[in-house]
Amino acid sequence: MEFTHWKRRLQDHFERMGFNLRIERLAMQDIIKLEATHGAFLFFPVTINLYERMGWKMIAIESHHPDTVEDAFAEAQIESLFQLTMVTFEEEEREFLLGFYSNTGRYLTDRQSPTGQLLAAIEREWYDGETIRIETFEEFPGLFVAPPFAHQAYAFAAAEGRWHMFVGRTGRPANDYRFDGAVLMPHRIADNELFTMTPLAVAIDDTAGLRDQLHEERSEIKRFHRQAMETIRDYDPSFGFAWRGTVTFFHGIPVDPFAQRLWLEDGQKRFRIMQKASQRILALGDTCIEAIHALDEAVSAGEPDGTPVSAVGQLILGIWQQFESDERTYLTEVVCTGISRTQAENRIRHGLARQEAVNWIERAQNGRDHFQFAGLSITLPHRPPGTIEIRREEEQR
């Protein structure tokens, strides 16, 4: 029986196993949706979507287990269910089969198959041996991953006996990642994410070559990130540390950057560092060296009028997340009560150097915010521009 009828074969397989199926065919998306129950094998109903994505024969399973059933037990049951589907296919067919457990974002494979070896190589080289678990807006994903070292998504697919690697066409940021990759949060891939094929491809049976390729990809991007971070820290040694309630900045300019090594349509590389919030490009180059040189010029440049941003401006512009260098556009007046402006500047400068936390007292969308920092009580408009009022904390009580 031809592999092209794999959806029908699996449907028949579930019926022979004694599953009760409610079948829905989503013709526009070429998907078969199975609502399945089995009193003896599964203790909860599941939804099984059969579809094809980027060359993968996808078996996406979602369990509907009650709260009384532990998640680990449910996942073990789903793993067993997926393994039972493998007996439907010959060994050589399994290299294009991929399971996906929607509840935890875990991929399911026959670990002895080429697909299982591909997944194992990705986990070993990109996730330090940890199991890949993704959260995604994509209802019917293929093999999409967003490794912690890269601020972009990747996809993998098979063609002409080779594994091919794709990268996000837009190079969209991984919004939940720190710039240095130190904090890993669930990554969300947008529905409209597009991928570009890269020149990186290895033979399906070349496991060693695959691992070498993945290792080199990770090493190159991490070198780029490290050089970008070191370049900025030459000018601001505290850069890259997350402060609660504030953002990182250099030269008084709040910065929330991400660094990407993109692939263009012609197979050429492009290196860039961008300001995440505004999508503003800080540095761009065809090589890592060019991008780092452009970044060095950007962060070493003096203020346009030769006047550095004050410590008050650094703090307030950081809270407002403004990227501009002229603080007078935003801080129309700074009123200090019970303390001189110089004393307030010194306290705030030392507080920023020590990475002290901002203690929020009140946040008002349409009014004035109030917080405490470095022994000072500070009020400001929720949005710029406006007057900044500074008092000693003890005078506020």
Side-chain angles (χ1 to χ4, degrees):
M1 189 176 294
E2 294 185 4
F3 191 44
T4 52
H5 302 301
W6 68 282
K7 298 175 190 176
R8 180 64 189 183
R9 292 166 67 183
L10 274 183
Q11 180 183 326
D12 293 342
H13 180 66
F14 287 130
E15 290 175 343
R16 288 194 302 270
M17 289 173 60
F19 277 87
N20 295 318
L21 300 179
R22 188 169 69 85
I23 303 167
E24 182 179 358
R25 289 178 172 81
L26 308 178
M28 294 294 293
Q29 298 168 293
D30 193 23
I31 294 172
I32 293 181
K33 182 177 182 180
L34 307 176
E35 301 286 352
T37 58
H38 194 300
F41 179 70
L42 285 177
F43 301 103
F44 45 81
V46 296
T47 299
I48 304 171
N49 287 298
L50 308 178
Y51 60 95
E52 298 185 16
R53 185 70 187 272
M54 294 187 72
W56 295 107
K57 315 297 184 185
M58 296 296 304
I59 306 173
I61 306 173
E62 179 182 4
S63 68
H64 308 288
H65 56 278
D67 294 338
T68 55
V69 176
E70 294 184 0
D71 292 339
F73 176 77
E75 183 167 332
Q77 287 246 295
I78 297 302
E79 173 73 20
S80 297
L81 174 61
F82 178 78
Q83 294 303 325
L84 284 174
T85 65
M86 293 295 98
V87 302
T88 311
F89 304 103
E90 299 295 332
E91 182 177 346
E92 62 270 16
E93 296 175 333
R94 298 178 189 176
E95 64 190 32
F96 302 113
L97 273 173
L98 183 62
F100 183 72
Y101 182 35
S102 304
N103 297 61
T104 64
R106 177 190 171 192
Y107 288 106
L108 307 171
T109 66
D110 174 1
R111 287 284 169 165
Q112 302 305 314
S113 70
T115 295
Q117 295 171 15
L118 168 63
L119 202 67
I122 296 172
E123 290 175 341
R124 173 178 171 177
E125 299 298 336
W126 284 7
Y127 288 82
D128 297 324
E130 296 292 328
T131 299
I132 298 175
R133 295 184 186 273
I134 66 168
E135 290 188 22
T136 174
F137 289 141
E138 175 58 67
E139 189 174 1
F140 306 111
L143 183 49
F144 302 158
V145 297
F149 63 84
H151 295 161
Q152 61 197 89
Y154 289 83
F156 293 83
E160 299 177 348
R162 300 170 72 83
W163 295 126
H164 292 269
M165 187 170 73
F166 300 73
V167 295
R169 184 183 302 273
T170 60
R172 63 180 300 277
N175 292 323
D176 294 325
Y177 292 148
R178 281 263 304 283
F179 178 56
D180 58 3
V183 178
L184 173 62
M185 299 290 288
H187 178 82
R188 299 192 177 277
I189 301 176
D191 288 332
N192 62 350
E193 179 69 84
L194 298 176
F195 293 93
T196 298
M197 180 183 287
T198 72
L200 303 181
V202 296
I204 287 178
D205 58 356
D206 185 6
T207 304
L210 173 64
R211 288 176 175 170
D212 290 344
Q213 196 74 264
L214 295 175
H215 178 77
E216 177 57 31
E217 178 75 4
R218 175 175 180 172
S219 298
E220 182 178 41
I221 292 177
K222 290 189 73 172
R223 284 196 301 270
F224 178 41
H225 285 195
R226 183 177 65 254
Q227 291 179 38
M229 190 66 96
E230 290 173 351
T231 299
I232 296 178
R233 283 180 175 160
D234 284 342
Y235 302 95
D236 181 358
S238 67
F239 181 81
F241 298 98
W243 305 326
R244 289 175 295 166
T246 65
V247 296
T248 303
F249 49 81
F250 56 81
H251 286 292
I253 311 304
V255 175
D256 187 14
F258 60 94
Q260 294 176 323
R261 202 282 332 272
L262 306 176
W263 287 97
L264 306 183
E265 293 287 354
D266 59 1
Q268 299 300 308
K269 298 177 183 178
R270 180 70 54 82
F271 296 79
R272 71 179 182 183
I273 300 103
M274 296 186 69
Q275 169 76 343
K276 186 186 301 181
S278 64
Q279 299 293 297
R280 181 172 179 175
I281 295 179
L282 302 179
L284 184 68
D286 292 331
T287 67
C288 176
I289 295 175
E290 287 182 13
I292 296 301
H293 179 70
L295 179 65
D296 183 78
E297 290 185 342
V299 299
S300 64
E303 299 298 334
D305 59 359
T307 303
V309 174
S310 66
V312 173
Q314 289 184 342
L315 176 63
I316 303 304
L317 288 176
I319 289 172
W320 279 337
Q321 298 186 26
Q322 296 300 319
F323 191 71
E324 309 310 318
S325 59
D326 184 5
E327 69 178 47
R328 292 171 299 180
T329 302
Y330 299 92
L331 280 62
T332 56
E333 186 179 6
V334 178
V335 178
C336 297
T337 303
I339 188 172
S340 69
R341 175 68 184 268
T342 301
Q343 289 174 320
E345 289 279 339
N346 288 335
R347 283 198 180 192
I348 291 175
R349 185 175 294 107
H350 291 309
L352 290 173
R354 291 192 300 267
Q355 303 172 29
E356 291 185 15
V358 170
N359 179 27
W360 285 102
I361 306 300
E362 181 181 1
R363 305 206 71 174
Q365 291 288 332
N366 299 311
R368 293 180 69 78
D369 293 342
H370 178 204
F371 67 90
Q372 293 175 340
F373 181 80
L376 301 174
S377 178
I378 303 173
T379 58
L380 70 161
H382 187 73
R383 297 183 183 85
T387 300
I388 313 303
E389 299 177 9
I390 303 176
R391 299 173 181 267
R392 294 180 188 271
E393 272 189 36
E394 54 268 21
E395 294 187 8
Q396 188 70 17
R397 297 190 183 99

